[in-house]
Amino acid sequence: MQKPDKAGGLPSIQATLKHLLQSQRSKENIKNLVRVNKDKGFDCPGCAWGDAKDGYFKFCENGAKAIAWESTEKTIDRQFFAQHAVSDLAKQSDYWLEYQGRLAEPMVYDRDSDHYQPISWSDAFGLIAKQLNALSDANQLELYTSGRASNEVSYLYQLFGRLFGTNNFPDCSNLCHEASGLALNQAIGVGKGTVTLADFDAADRIFVLGQNPGTNHPRMLNSLKKAAQRGAKIISFNNLKEVALEKFTSPQDPVAILTKSSTNISHLYLTPKLGGDMAILRGINKMILETHPDAIAKAFIEQNTTGFAEFVTQVKNTNWQDIIAQSGVDKDQIADAANLFLSGENVITCWAMGITQHKHSVATIREIVNLHLLTGQLGRPGAGLCPVRGHSNVQGNRTMGINENPPAALLNALEQRYHQSMPRQPGHNVHFALKALASGHSKILICLGGNIAAASPDTEFTQSALKNAQLTVQISTKLNRSHVTPGQQALILPCLGRTEIDKQKSGPQAVTVEDTFSMVHASIGRSEPISPQLRSETDIIANIAQATLTNKNIDWLAWRDDYRLIRKEISHVIEGFADFENQIKQPHGFHLSNSAAELNWRTDNKKANFLASQLPDLNTDKFVLQTLRAHDQYNTTIYGLNDRYRGIQNERDVIFINEKDMQALGFESGQQVDITSHWPDGKVRKVTGFKLYPYQIPCGNLAAYYPETNPLIPIDSFGEASYTPTSKWVEVSLHKSAEQSIRIKQ
Ligand SMILES: Nc1nc2c(c(=O)[nH]1)N[C@H]1C(S)=C(S)[C@@H](COP(=O)(O)OP(=O)(O)OC[C@H]3O[C@@H](n4cnc5c(=O)[nH]c(N)nc54)[C@H](O)[C@@H]3O)O[C@H]1N2
Ligand SMILES: Nc1nc2c(c(=O)[nH]1)N[C@H]1C(S)=C(S)[C@@H](COP(=O)(O)OP(=O)(O)OC[C@H]3O[C@@H](n4cnc5c(=O)[nH]c(N)nc54)[C@H](O)[C@@H]3O)O[C@H]1N2
Ligand SMILES: [Mo]
């Protein structure tokens, strides 16, 4: 398969249809595509990009895949688990596991037979309550959340955990945008992006750093296309030449498809070395300070900021040699980027995992903020900061209090409302939760969605940590690695997905979610649930709380019966939600205000802070590997084995390498190699039989897909302060695969 010269277009429509047919529920899913992201419809379970207020269809190819994957006729129940022992299931690929269909009934793991067996819902809740109440310390419980959980269930979940007595809320954010929240909070006093979708229509420069929207946020391409067509300039920094950042044809534009026309997206495309973005940003800041003093927003800086003098000193002390060596781009290209930034009236900077999954991610994001503060590109239409979130409600989870480091204001509000003291010491993020499970300090893991076993780094370590738990509880829609790495006892609790009707005593329920632009809106599923045994996530958490907590002053089941009552609780406790129930009746929901966008700085010193660090030390004599997503996957969910935009067909164990590096190693295209990572603990971390693909990638850098490469990422290789695994920076070496490992792979 050849790498295409543009993204979208007819192949995108063909792929959408193929996945709808594969779901074996194509009629229902075509209806679902019409409902997605519409008023009285459901929120796309794909990414967290916002919805335009126009009448167009609001799905994209990968959103359609997510819907078809969730809404499938295929189910797995007691017969399936009777046929397959867990140790056999554990040998299957992630793709195979999820492909078996929707989980259809609650199951409990029977260690003696190594099979999951059916269990009634009430016995499952009873088992959890018994185990939880036998813990000697509430902090022996870990409550993981993946970013699809609605605001309503997230609120219940954090309240349950805190009433039980713990702040142990590891979540997928810890693996994802943690660094963005931290850096933005330190610098501008709010951990979220400052722009709205409408700002993309007012920006004349859009910087896109370390992000692959063609695959991961396809609806963003419509915003970029619109911007490019009206003359705004898009500047991309990406380790790889991603085709969608070069050329795009909207699959929803029949004229463009028929005339085979496409829009050029990036005006300038820099390909830094892995981790080199901070050096480029520092270079841009240095150029502005040294050669464009007129561009410095003096009045803005004076009125709004602190730390300017220290920032100037830090920039002065960074020399060009280091900037150029570390960034991997030359000074002229940095000058081009600086000139484009400065010639824009209004500039937005977007970023995602290529920025957040490094050791120095917090420092890099602070450097993005420094650039925007230096030029006053914040707090007016068309200008600002845009961390592009991943999971469709990951931002809402945090807003609702899924946070291992809860702000005091949240705990105070909870105490006031529920007249019970809340735990004050910080809890565990994913890193510390896994460590605590591995050491036996934590004993029970409940997962509200996600696939912690495959999404977390250092697979062998992670899986042994999970197996070490006394009890693991997975609230899930599909079978995945986390179910086949059970603790001593384990439960699978199957839940409704976004597309499905959630009927409770008071009638069909709506839930709410928050997108990357802080828009909160309702989501209502319309398909019949795939099995009558499924329960909503809200029902499951309410029942766990009801069965476990001895203090019965909350009627959890009344909240479960009518989610409006939960929204009422939220309106009393969470800032910005005062008139929640009415606000979500508006078409497209409502916007939570963003203090930094209003130039109101909620930092400790009530100012926006320039925060400058030294460039990191990225010297290495090894190859550096980034682990990224293919076009046919949603995180650990593998929909298919193609990566159309990179020219890969029917395989995932591939590794992208610069042709010169391949030749220098004496390797050939298509040859299979073993990848070994390096970490001071001396432990051997290795994956075998990856096929070499020569690719346009900087020398010394490699790329391969996640989750297959997670065994390589050492648990202690994480971002400073963020604890996010360095998924985009793994030092590795390559060796020719032995015949043996090639055979096993096949
Ligand atoms: N279809 C689909 N949609 C998704 C997801 C999915 O898996 N599938 N996942 C969702 C989630 S949870 C998230 S967080 C987002 C993820 O969205 P992305 O952040 O786009 O995801 P990645 O595939 O990890 O891509 C990272 C991009 O950064 C580049 N990159 C890597 N390292 C560097 C670097 O050091 N510098 C620069 N400049 N670039 C670098 C890579 O080449 C790649 O293009 O997408 C969300 N949406
Ligand atoms: N090496 C490497 N590792 C990474 C990354 C990387 O780029 N490189 N990216 C990281 C990032 S950004 C993230 S966000 C994490 C993702 O980590 P997670 O969010 O934990 O993982 P997912 O793969 O999204 O979870 C998929 C599972 O969620 C369940 N599920 C799907 N929909 C629902 C639902 O509506 N409700 C419930 N209860 N369950 C549901 C299904 O059972 C499915 O198997 O992975 C991280 N890991
Ligand atoms: Mo993510």
Side-chain angles (χ1 to χ4, degrees), residues 716-729:
D716 290 319
S717 178
F718 49 72
E720 276 159 13
S722 68
Y723 288 93
T724 300
T726 59
S727 304
K728 301 294 188 266
W729 176 274

Side-chain angles (χ1 to χ4, degrees), residues 343-382:
S343 59
E345 192 69 27
N346 298 309
V347 188
I348 293 177
T349 300
C350 305
W351 68 91
M353 297 304 103
I355 297 297
T356 63
Q357 295 178 331
H358 285 284
K359 188 163 172 235
H360 57 295
S361 293
V362 172
T364 304
I365 297 158
R366 296 196 316 201
E367 197 69 13
I368 297 173
V369 182
N370 292 338
L371 173 59
H372 278 252
L373 295 178
L374 179 64
T375 50
Q377 288 289 357
L378 202 68
R380 44 161 214 280

Side-chain angles (χ1 to χ4, degrees), residues 45 69-70 98 103 144-149 172-173 175-177 353 357 390-391 394 447-457 475-481 483 493 495-498 537 627-629 634-637 705-707 709-710 713 725 727-728:
W69 195 253
E70 172 181 304
E98 286 228 11
L103 294 161
Y144 179 78
T145 316
S146 164
R148 272 193 196 171
C172 71
S173 248
L175 309 170
C176 183
H177 262 294
M353 297 304 103
Q357 295 178 331
H391 266 301
V394 63
C447 293
L448 181 54
N451 182 4
I452 191 171
S456 302
I475 301 164
S476 320
T477 52
K478 289 264 187 121
L479 186 66
N480 66 39
R481 190 67 46 203
H483 306 112
L493 304 182
C495 66
L496 295 172
R498 283 272 172 84
E537 292 173 317
T627 62
L628 77 180
R629 293 156 172 80
Y634 194 92
N635 298 335
T636 67
T637 294
Y705 303 131
Y706 124 83
T709 44
N710 255 338
I713 305 179
S727 304
K728 301 294 188 266

Side-chain angles (χ1 to χ4, degrees), residues 10 20 120 302 404 641 680:
L10 198 55
L20 290 182
S120 70
E302 190 121 315
E404 74 277 9
L641 303 179

Side-chain angles (χ1 to χ4, degrees), residues 137 256 590:
D137 177 347
F590 66 102

